[in-house]
Amino acid sequence: MFGRYFFVYIMGNNRPTLYTGMTNNLIRRLYAHQHELADGFTKKYHLHKLLYYEAVESPRGAIIREKQIKNMSRAEKLALIAAKNPTMRDLTRDLTGD
């Protein structure tokens, strides 16, 4: 699954404050978010929980999908998350096995 894919993802915290991003290396990006390695929104709001992700086959497709999600209302984003992750648990372990 991690071969040549790009990922669109939503990070959150317990409130939840939400952040949407995209990457070609989801595990590396999760590590950076969860260990607050870069200044920015996810560090400021301590967004450590992976709430949602989807794989996309091209960088252009991932950028388009990221923009679609970013343009959703908060309620629409929460519904998107709930469809795949109704308990809003951290999905990191599903990917890393930790």
Side-chain angles (χ1 to χ4, degrees):
M1 174 172 159
F2 291 107
R4 291 284 207 192
Y5 288 97
F6 295 81
F7 297 88
V8 179
Y9 62 93
I10 300 174
M11 300 292 294
N13 57 19
N14 291 329
R15 290 182 192 96
T17 300
L18 302 174
Y19 169 83
T20 303
M22 65 88 59
T23 183
N24 66 343
N25 188 327
L26 186 55
I27 295 195
R28 182 184 69 218
R29 184 63 57 88
L30 287 173
Y31 185 88
H33 286 313
Q34 292 168 344
H35 292 87
E36 299 184 351
L37 299 180
D39 290 335
F41 190 84
T42 57
K43 181 177 180 178
K44 179 178 179 179
Y45 293 99
H46 308 290
L47 305 181
H48 300 153
K49 290 171 65 175
L50 175 65
L51 299 175
Y52 175 86
Y53 69 94
E54 61 186 72
V56 182
E57 292 185 2
S58 72
R60 179 168 164 66
I63 291 167
I64 290 168
R65 183 64 177 142
E66 178 190 25
K67 287 180 181 181
Q68 289 172 341
I69 293 172
K70 283 185 173 187
N71 286 326
M72 289 179 177
S73 68
R74 177 179 175 73
E76 290 170 324
K77 289 176 190 176
L78 290 172
L80 180 68
I81 294 166
K84 288 191 176 180
N85 184 7
T87 61
M88 294 192 64
R89 67 184 180 83
D90 185 355
L91 300 174
T92 301
R93 286 185 178 172
D94 295 357
L95 299 173
T96 64
D98 293 341

